[in-house]
Amino acid sequence: MTFPIIVVDDDEVDRYLVKRAVTKWDRSCKVIEVADGENIITMVEDPALFHRETDGQGQPAVVLLDINMPGLNGFDVLDAIQQRFAEDEERRSMVVVMMFTSSDNVQDQERALSYDFVKDYIVKPLDGDDLNRIIRRHAEATTPEAVG
Amino acid sequence: MNAPQHPIDVRQPDDALARLEFAFNISPTPMLLVDENGRIVLTNRQVEILFEYDAGELTDKLVEVLIPEDVKPHHPDLREAFMQVPAQRFMGTGRDLFGVTKTGRPVPIEIGLHPFSVDDDMHVLVAVLDITERKAGELKIRRALDAASSAMVMVDEEGRITLANALADQMFGYPAGGLLGEAIEQLLPERHRFRHPVYRRGFFLGKTSRSMGVGRSLFALRRDGTEFPVEIGLTPIETSDGHFVMSTINDVTEARAQEREARARNKELSRLNTELTQFAYSASHDLKAPLTSISGLLRFAGEDLEAGDLEEVKSSIHKAGDLAHRLSSRIEDMLTIARADHVKDDTEVVDLAQIVAEVWSDLPDDDGSGEVTLRTDFVLASEFRTNPTMLRGVLENLIGNAKTYRDQTREECFVEVTCREDEDSIVVTVGDNGIGIPERHHGDVFKMFKRFASDRNTGSGLGLALVKKYVDLLAGTIDFESSDAGTTFRVTLPNTPV
């Protein structure tokens, strides 16, 4: 099975590490690196672009979302997803968001998990194998029809 | 009881002296009769026993023989004054009166005087009460009261002080015995006097022991007008002379101060504990993060090396090097914070303009912040005296942040440093038109390891924590305003006098 993973993080090293960890586990996994909030919102707002970028073939996309980013931060992104997909249950189910942040702030955590499409709150740093396990668990739980 | 020295006929109405002698000799009270010249005409045996004389030995002696040396010279005058206006009276009530024995031993006494005519000659009948035992008892009670660790004040139903121990006089600033006869309200702050008689009467009605002012702070007033906090216990005392209240008063100035101090110390300890816990947690988290990344990068570099992908190896090692550098400066900052408490706290006159200029020129430009302009506006009439190391630390971080977190979308980015005098303080502001601090982070600004814009994370998240620490050490205050339009930190520092 394959599902695209979108890493939204302004830290280049963090994106690189996630990408390496994920592809090590599944070479065919498509990892899309997004360096800021603006770009991910543009993708979310344009279904064609989103589909083209993720090439998910019906699989939900897993978004690993940082919180502290310059410009639009993680919460701005969550609000945008909430708004765009508010009346589109099907499309919303195509996005599984996991916060991947260095913020261990309890308020941040509570706020993030109040969005129904936010499935987890992972505090960096995290071992690559653990990250893989978490991603797979959430993605598979969301996949409409399990493949493989 | 001694037998009469010569038989008398009590039926002889004119034998006044004989009748008197008879009465004397059956009286348990020491009595004597003195003529108008102060000569002792008659004594009973009780007087002789009291003053240690043999039978009849006092007769014909001047009454001054029984008067202590210190009073003896004035006594004839006093005696004559009494004879001018003879009237029945008591001597010694309310003051210490002594007689003196043949051997010179003082005896505390009370005396009753009664003018008495014998054969038309004016005499004075004197009854003497030996109060040695009563005085000893009083002294014992007095000593017990004076030994008490609390001030004790007894008042009658009118609120008059009828007894006060030494500590009470001392506590309220009165001379020994000075409280006697004063109104208890005299010991209350003016604002409480009005209602006190009502409370007092209420207590006399209730008549049960209790603490006064439960649940509120009580204050007492010294003679010099100063107030002090007290705790008071009240006990009703019933005597044949009427109802009294004994109040036990403790000056709790020191206890209150200690309580305050303990509370402050507890608060400070709890703050330090929170800070330490947060520091340990944040430090381990923040030091672990780059280390984990470095170890991840090196692991991948190893794999890439095996696979022969040298470009990837180079890239990973380069990234790991950057992270190691960042980690090292983070540790350096932590050490600076840890050392902040040990910075020498000497003050000197500082040249703010020069320090700002030096700080500005020392800031790195390699992050593209070279285009940011510095504006300054210093208005200082007097010398600015403070600790130069800490002031520089504050300015380095505030100005450095202002420059780093510029808003690249603006035509002109600036950092503005101003300085004004405000009474005994110097107010330094560091403002910018940068990206601002998101409102949700405003409460965390001065906490350690908080970074709010991670794309420019050359910072350790310790800068503002260090600023706060220095400002605290300088006994100053710091606050800030931040919005999309920029951020301004305002530091108010006391201008330390020489």
Side-chain angles (χ1 to χ4, degrees), chain B residues 179-210:
Chain B
L179 279 172
L180 282 179
E182 293 286 344
I184 189 75
E185 276 75 27
Q186 200 66 23
L187 307 182
L188 268 62
E190 195 88 41
R191 59 185 183 282
H192 296 312
R193 282 186 194 166
F194 175 67
R195 297 205 61 81
H196 191 257
V198 180
Y199 294 143
R200 184 156 51 72
R201 281 192 284 276
F203 181 80
F204 272 105
L205 288 176
K207 289 185 186 150
T208 49
S209 297
R210 64 173 174 87

Side-chain angles (χ1 to χ4, degrees), chain B residues 44-94:
Chain B
N44 66 356
R45 188 64 198 132
Q46 309 304 329
V47 168
E48 290 160 352
I49 293 168
L50 176 60
F51 292 107
E52 303 170 348
Y53 284 90
D54 293 335
E57 195 183 351
L58 278 168
T59 310
D60 286 342
K61 286 197 160 58
L62 276 176
V63 74
E64 274 75 28
V65 76
L66 302 176
I67 309 291
E69 288 300 321
D70 56 335
V71 186
K72 200 181 274 184
H74 325 293
H75 195 261
D77 290 344
L78 295 171
R79 179 156 51 72
E80 270 168 38
F82 177 80
M83 287 303 183
Q84 300 286 323
V85 195
Q88 182 179 338
R89 52 173 287 217
F90 291 100
M91 276 172 74
T93 316

Side-chain angles (χ1 to χ4, degrees), chain B residues 319-396:
Chain B
K319 284 173 188 155
D322 279 352
L323 282 173
H325 179 71
R326 203 189 296 173
L327 185 57
S328 145
S329 68
R330 198 168 288 180
I331 290 171
E332 192 54 48
D333 282 355
M334 283 168 63
L335 286 172
T336 308
I337 289 220
R339 278 195 295 251
D341 284 317
H342 305 292
V343 170
K344 274 177 74 184
D345 54 4
D346 301 351
T347 63
E348 59 182 60
V349 174
V350 295
D351 183 346
L352 187 66
Q354 193 191 331
I355 294 179
V356 169
E358 283 170 9
V359 164
W360 185 257
S361 68
D362 287 349
L363 288 173
D365 282 339
D366 54 3
D367 60 350
S369 63
E371 81 260 19
V372 182
T373 50
L374 173 69
R375 300 176 185 173
T376 56
D377 179 16
F378 302 141
V379 182
L380 267 185
S382 44
E383 288 183 327
F384 181 12
R385 179 173 275 274
T386 189
N387 180 284
T389 312
M390 297 188 200
L391 177 67
R392 182 180 289 268
V394 167
L395 290 171
E396 274 171 0

Side-chain angles (χ1 to χ4, degrees), chain A residues 2-23:
Chain A
T2 55
F3 42 82
I5 292 172
I6 307 173
V7 189
V8 187
D9 201 317
D10 59 309
D11 189 315
E12 187 199 345
V13 174
D14 282 356
R15 291 200 306 270
Y16 175 81
L17 289 172
V18 169
K19 186 175 179 173
R20 286 295 298 253
V22 168
T23 50

